[in-house]
Amino acid sequence: MSTRRDWLLQQMGITQYQLRRPRVLQGEIAVTLLPDTRLVLVAEQAPTLQEPLIRDVLRALNLQPAQVMALTPDQLQMLPEQVDCAGWLLGVESEHPFNGITFNTAVFNELISSGAAKRALWQQMCNHDSHLFSHP
């Protein structure tokens, strides 16, 4: 649905650009990762890092809770284009590049109650060496 103004600009060969992150101009501060962040957990409602399943996953990946940053999908859009850590998308979709490693799972409540969802997560983790997450 375009307006008359949009149509006129198009007829004149003027391209309108849409800001990728307009909230930055509206005063929101960009999200920055700490240098030791190794995993970005993205969820609408992120579970605490003390949840038993989360602790098990972090232990399997050889990560400490201080190396994990939990974000909402809106905050994820505020990250720089290239992120030098892994990503775990809990029930959300994103094309954000995470150093080539992204785990996709169901929302947390479904993940903890579904054996198939847990197996899918562990299978994704087995496809990557845990040394990728440890400090160089």
Side-chain angles (χ1 to χ4, degrees):
M1 182 168 119
S2 65
T3 65
R4 177 171 167 69
R5 180 185 57 134
D6 294 337
W7 181 81
L8 288 172
L9 290 172
Q10 182 182 14
Q11 294 304 311
M12 291 187 290
I14 297 174
T15 303
Q16 294 185 76
Y17 292 97
Q18 185 172 358
L19 293 175
R20 189 178 69 224
R21 295 184 274 173
R23 289 178 299 225
V24 172
L25 295 178
Q26 296 169 349
E28 286 191 29
I29 299 173
V31 176
T32 56
L33 295 179
L34 297 174
D36 61 338
T37 301
R38 297 289 175 255
L39 178 67
V40 174
L41 189 148
V42 184
E44 290 292 341
Q45 295 179 341
T48 68
L49 300 180
Q50 300 309 315
E51 290 283 345
L53 178 63
I54 302 295
R55 286 195 333 244
D56 289 346
V57 169
L58 296 182
R59 191 174 309 116
L61 296 174
N62 196 25
L63 294 175
Q64 298 299 315
Q67 296 173 303
V68 179
M69 182 175 215
L71 300 175
T72 65
D74 289 338
Q75 291 172 319
L76 179 63
Q77 294 176 0
M78 298 293 172
L79 285 180
E81 288 288 322
Q82 183 64 34
V83 178
D84 192 29
C85 64
W88 182 1
L89 305 175
L90 270 159
V92 297
E93 297 286 327
S94 175
E95 296 297 321
H96 201 282
F98 284 106
N99 195 24
I101 302 168
T102 305
F103 303 118
N104 293 288
T105 63
V107 294
F108 185 70
N109 289 337
E110 183 180 333
L111 184 62
I112 60 174
S113 64
S114 167
K118 287 178 196 170
R119 279 190 296 280
L121 169 60
W122 293 114
Q123 184 62 47
Q124 290 177 62
M125 290 171 47
C126 288
N127 291 335
H128 300 284
D129 292 330
S130 62
H131 75 273
L132 294 172
F133 298 95
S134 60
H135 282 307

